[in-house]
Amino acid sequence: MAVPIAVLDCDLLLYGRGHRTLDRFKLEDVTDEYLVSTYGFPRQFICYLVDLLGATLSRPTQRSRAISPETQILAALGFYTSGSFQTRMGDAIGISQASMSRCVANVTEALVERASQFIHFPEDEATVQTLKDDFYGLAGMPGVLGVVDCTHVAIKAPNAEDLSYVNRKGLHSLNCLMVCDSRGVLLSAETHWPGSLPDCTVLEQAALTSQFETELHKDGWLLGDSSFLLRTWLMTPLHIPETPAEYRYNMAHSATHNVIERTFRTIRSRFRCLDGTKGTLQYSPEKSSHIILACCVLHNISLEHGLDVWSSPATGHMEQPEEEYEQMESVDSEACRVRQELLLTHFS
């Protein structure tokens, strides 16, 4: 009886599942609709990233079939926007799940290296004034340089159990401190704080505080909610407003500060790896922090390219502690004087 002989794919044996398609996937061969549905971004944006990161991702290798920068970027975008290493996604670009993971690590580090290029406060006077004018146009709050808040991103428990990452819901997370402008562009992002730290403690220890207390920001301030302490450079709402001016101030503050909540929803909607629907980030706190920061960089680049998703609702739920916090009362008399002057000058 004849025994059927299986036809073996030599390319498959030599290079692993799907590797033979590695050089066949070209951006020009697929539609924008396919790229957006699979990788979250259109062709022009992906080509920009290839130009931006290509030199960093083209590392010397002894293998004849190293993964191209284009393929690495597609793999990373696929993970950031879907939250999983799907086999079909690897098949589409011809790499294994293990290679997908390495691509995410490479692209993440390349983006983190460029974080300061894309996430920073404006420095020239004209841009700063435009920043204030744009905020004033929202709800009449003058002098605003940015709105600040914290958001939690769920991570797996560290190998060496560290209770400092357990938040008030009993989940492991990173508490991320961010500042954005009126369009949702991030001006500051500190993504490494342990989830057990309350927002006020994160701000107290953050580089952001050092920046505002050591540099001159006499003509403006950030807006923060009542989880933060009032400072001369950080205006918070009044705990119990009593006068019409105080009510008007609180209403303008709330309407303006809402921009940061919309920004968090936008980031969660676009980068599903952060929203908790696919589970926690399966990395160490340090690597998880870098992934979050990489997504923040991509968020700003996407806004630069006109990819605005303000209207997109979050499709998942980012694990967060309950929205309960102790109302912080300031003992800074100078900060109280600055807020009172703001009330009298602009809201009375």
Side-chain angles (χ1 to χ4, degrees), residues 39-60:
Y39 305 105
F41 292 95
R43 186 187 327 276
Q44 182 180 8
F45 182 89
I46 295 170
C47 289
Y48 173 82
L49 291 181
V50 173
D51 290 339
L52 177 70
L53 307 178
T56 302
L57 298 175
S58 298
R59 295 190 172 92

Side-chain angles (χ1 to χ4, degrees), residues 209-257:
T209 293
S210 176
Q211 179 181 0
F212 269 79
E213 291 188 344
T214 58
E215 299 178 12
L216 293 177
H217 294 283
K218 301 295 184 183
D219 298 324
W221 38 70
L222 302 178
L223 296 188
D225 62 24
S226 296
S227 64
F228 299 117
L229 282 170
L230 178 71
R231 301 169 186 259
T232 55
W233 50 268
L234 177 64
M235 293 293 102
T236 60
L238 289 139
H239 181 33
I240 304 177
E242 297 177 347
T243 68
E246 291 175 345
Y247 275 102
R248 284 192 289 269
Y249 166 84
N250 270 14
M251 290 179 64
H253 187 292
S254 177
T256 307
H257 188 265

Side-chain angles (χ1 to χ4, degrees), residues 39-105:
Y39 305 105
F41 292 95
R43 186 187 327 276
Q44 182 180 8
F45 182 89
I46 295 170
C47 289
Y48 173 82
L49 291 181
V50 173
D51 290 339
L52 177 70
L53 307 178
T56 302
L57 298 175
S58 298
R59 295 190 172 92
T61 177
Q62 294 181 346
R63 294 184 301 163
S64 61
R65 308 193 72 173
I67 301 176
S68 68
E70 180 180 282
T71 300
Q72 292 183 63
I73 288 168
L74 289 172
L77 292 179
F79 169 72
Y80 296 147
T81 58
S82 72
S84 65
F85 294 113
Q86 301 177 47
T87 300
R88 65 176 181 81
M89 191 177 297
D91 286 342
I93 52 179
I95 61 176
S96 67
Q97 182 170 317
S99 294
M100 284 273 292
S101 182
R102 288 192 295 273
C103 290
V104 170

Side-chain angles (χ1 to χ4, degrees), residues 33-290:
E33 290 74 15
Y34 172 80
L35 291 172
V36 172
S37 65
T38 307
Y39 305 105
F41 292 95
R43 186 187 327 276
Q44 182 180 8
F45 182 89
I46 295 170
C47 289
Y48 173 82
L49 291 181
V50 173
D51 290 339
L52 177 70
L53 307 178
T56 302
L57 298 175
S58 298
R59 295 190 172 92
T61 177
Q62 294 181 346
R63 294 184 301 163
S64 61
R65 308 193 72 173
I67 301 176
S68 68
E70 180 180 282
T71 300
Q72 292 183 63
I73 288 168
L74 289 172
L77 292 179
F79 169 72
Y80 296 147
T81 58
S82 72
S84 65
F85 294 113
Q86 301 177 47
T87 300
R88 65 176 181 81
M89 191 177 297
D91 286 342
I93 52 179
I95 61 176
S96 67
Q97 182 170 317
S99 294
M100 284 273 292
S101 182
R102 288 192 295 273
C103 290
V104 170
N106 292 341
V107 174
T108 295
E109 292 311 305
L111 288 168
V112 167
E113 289 173 5
R114 291 162 176 77
S116 61
Q117 177 182 344
F118 294 99
I119 303 175
H120 57 81
F121 284 91
E123 295 180 356
D124 62 281
E125 292 185 10
T127 307
V128 171
Q129 187 58 51
T130 299
L131 181 65
K132 294 179 184 178
D133 292 343
D134 289 344
F135 271 119
Y136 187 79
L138 293 179
M141 180 69 75
V144 180
L145 298 170
V147 289
V148 58
D149 207 349
C150 288
T151 189
H152 286 251
V153 176
I155 63 172
K156 73 171 184 177
N159 290 332
E161 178 61 24
D162 188 343
L163 295 179
S164 69
Y165 290 96
V166 179
N167 61 38
R168 285 194 287 178
K169 290 183 69 174
L171 303 170
H172 291 83
S173 70
L174 290 168
N175 195 1
C176 305
L177 178 73
M178 300 188 193
V179 180
C180 73
D181 70 8
S182 63
R183 296 191 304 119
V185 175
L186 294 172
L187 306 175
S188 177
E190 299 185 34
T191 60
H192 61 283
W193 297 102
S196 67
L197 292 181
D199 295 358
C200 61
T201 303
V202 169
L203 182 61
E204 181 180 344
Q205 299 178 10
L208 178 69
T209 293
S210 176
Q211 179 181 0
F212 269 79
E213 291 188 344
T214 58
E215 299 178 12
L216 293 177
H217 294 283
K218 301 295 184 183
D219 298 324
W221 38 70
L222 302 178
L223 296 188
D225 62 24
S226 296
S227 64
F228 299 117
L229 282 170
L230 178 71
R231 301 169 186 259
T232 55
W233 50 268
L234 177 64
M235 293 293 102
T236 60
L238 289 139
H239 181 33
I240 304 177
E242 297 177 347
T243 68
E246 291 175 345
Y247 275 102
R248 284 192 289 269
Y249 166 84
N250 270 14
M251 290 179 64
H253 187 292
S254 177
T256 307
H257 188 265
N258 185 54
V259 173
I260 191 73
E261 297 301 331
R262 294 171 66 194
T263 300
F264 289 156
R265 289 197 297 270
T266 295
I267 293 172
R268 290 196 293 269
S269 177
R270 173 164 275 156
F271 302 107
R272 299 287 301 280
C273 68
L274 307 181
D275 74 1
T277 58
K278 300 294 184 179
T280 63
L281 284 175
Q282 297 297 301
Y283 298 91
S284 68
E286 181 182 9
K287 289 184 178 179
S288 295
S289 170
H290 285 185

